[in-house]
Amino acid sequence: MDMGNQHPSISRLQEIQKEVKSIEQQVIGFSGLSDDKNYKKLERILTKQLFEIDSVDTEGKGDIQQARKRAAQETERLLKELEQNANHPHRIEIQNIFKEAQALVKEKIVPFYSGGNCVTDEFEEGLQDIILRLTHVKTGGKISLRKARYHTLTKICAVQEIIEDCMKKQPSLPLSEDAHPSVAKINSVMCEVNKARGTLIALLMGVDSTETCRHLSCVLSGLIADLDALDVCGRTEIRNYRREVVEDINKLLKYLDLEEEADTTYAFDLGQNHSILKIEKVLKRMREIKNELLQAQSPPELYLSSKTELQGLIGQLDEVSLEKNPCIREARRRAVIEVQTLITYVDLKEALEKRKLFACEEHPSHKAVWNVLGNLSEIQGEVLSFDGNRSDKNYIRLEELLTKQLLALDAVDPQGEEKCKAARKQAVKLAQNILSYLDLKSDEWEY
């Protein structure tokens, strides 16, 4: 149809669809909750467009009716996606974990910067546990969940860094005010910086509704201006003192830009992160080695070369930069477990092969442990090949097989044989590690 002769109702529907399309990425990437201002804004825009679509006169024409129906369906789809993003179970999980962090900060940190007690080991451990739990929240590759998890981790890790930096720093300063008149002003600014540190933590964690990031930024920038205006009369120790305080202020200003930086740099999407790409490269090679071992006609010939290369892969993972990102740390931890599990598999296979070559009389209990180890070796090979989730029948079968081997080990009576006791203990640990590895492979975690 010629655009110039297009029906006005069709043209209007196309205009509405264009407006809806313009906010589609905002909806897909929405990482907040249903009480957020941005949620209400997007919901209002989409609802308005639905009313606009509904008001388009079809004049009983089939093509216009179909066009109106398609436009309404697309708008309703985005409204539904917006609602699902804000109410996704894992989004709620992230928020609940964040609330725990808020309570911890409100109880322990805000009083600390108001002259209360020192930061305790209990607080630091509690914060680290919260960070670990957040890294385990599954995103399923969903942009909104990745953003929500990243933003939450960024805030909590920033608080952790601010506290650690403050606790580690044991300067010989402040200088005595008798040294120079400017020292009194620097000391005064330093007191303001300590207060600002507490305010910043409260802001990052959302436990202070009386302050804004913009105002705190203006306050800190004003303190830098005051310090720059000071005359230190060429005194090196005073100039160094002033520089230290300025550096502290600049660090705090950096944390105020966290939210904006996360959105503009897409730092939440670790798919293209250099460290993650290195981890993925290691995992790809590890899988190739695993397939070679599992499919080889004569595996023993590959044991030595495979182990050497796998140890090299562990070395490569050790060199991966964590970039202070707990998700990268978790990705590396899992990759190390993947490689180490394959090394353990090769070690066990190798030990079983050697035992065949040097058959000798042995204690019945010791023999029973070796029989279980042989079974574990076969099961571990299946676990290495497993690619599913915990609802799969194969997962349940493998879990039952491993549990049976643990029960078999429990039934072994060492009869006082120390060698047998040690062997049984190692076999139990191996079975438990294989179970843990099966859980890790099936928990659908994604960075």
Side-chain angles (χ1 to χ4, degrees), residues 18 62 88 146 156 235 261 332 370 394 429 437 445:
K18 189 176 179 181
H88 193 287
R146 281 184 169 183
I156 297 174
R235 298 278 293 275
E261 182 184 330
R332 187 180 72 171
W370 272 108
N394 201 28
K429 187 177 179 182
Y437 178 66
W445 182 82

Side-chain angles (χ1 to χ4, degrees), residues 105 109 113 159 162-163 196-207:
V105 165
I109 294 303
Y113 281 109
V159 170
I162 292 166
I163 294 166
R197 193 176 277 112
T199 303
L200 174 59
I201 289 172
L203 266 173
L204 287 170
M205 298 303 296
V207 296

Side-chain angles (χ1 to χ4, degrees), residues 70-83:
R70 285 194 299 272
Q73 286 174 338
E74 178 61 17
T75 308
E76 286 168 353
R77 181 186 70 80
L78 288 181
L79 263 172
K80 187 177 180 182
E81 179 149 9
L82 179 66
E83 184 182 357

Side-chain angles (χ1 to χ4, degrees), residues 128 131 135 150 153-158 160-162 164-165 168 251 254-255 258 270 273 275 320-330 332:
Q128 189 57 47
I131 289 170
T135 63
Y150 178 81
L153 276 168
T154 300
K155 291 175 187 176
I156 297 174
C157 288
Q160 189 182 45
E161 283 180 23
I162 292 166
E164 284 178 356
D165 187 55
K168 286 176 185 175
K251 282 180 185 176
K254 179 191 72 175
Y255 291 117
L258 284 175
L270 291 175
N273 178 277
S275 294
V320 169
S321 170
L322 300 180
E323 302 174 20
K324 294 185 179 179
N325 187 318
C327 285
I328 297 175
R329 185 187 303 125
E330 177 64 10
R332 187 180 72 171

Side-chain angles (χ1 to χ4, degrees), residues 20-36:
V20 170
K21 190 74 175 173
S22 69
I23 64 166
E24 182 177 14
Q25 290 308 310
Q26 291 181 57
V27 172
I28 292 171
F30 179 75
S31 60
L33 299 162
S34 55
D35 58 353
D36 289 359

Side-chain angles (χ1 to χ4, degrees), residues 16 19-20 22-23 26 38-52 75 79:
I16 294 170
E19 289 176 36
V20 170
S22 69
I23 64 166
Q26 291 181 57
N38 202 31
Y39 178 92
K40 297 183 187 304
K41 175 188 168 187
L42 291 169
E43 185 183 42
R44 188 167 58 249
I45 292 170
L46 290 169
T47 304
K48 181 185 174 186
Q49 298 309 323
L50 268 181
F51 283 127
E52 291 285 340
T75 308
L79 263 172

Side-chain angles (χ1 to χ4, degrees), residues 376 402 406 425 427-437:
L376 285 174
L402 287 165
L406 280 167
K425 186 177 179 181
V428 168
K429 187 177 179 182
L430 174 63
Q432 290 171 338
N433 286 344
I434 297 171
L435 263 172
S436 298
Y437 178 66

Side-chain angles (χ1 to χ4, degrees), residues 90-108:
H90 293 163
R91 179 64 188 91
I92 303 301
E93 183 185 358
I94 291 168
Q95 184 62 16
N96 288 338
I97 295 173
F98 183 62
K99 283 179 180 177
E100 288 182 42
Q102 284 180 312
L104 199 61
V105 165
K106 201 167 186 177
E107 180 189 356
K108 302 291 185 181

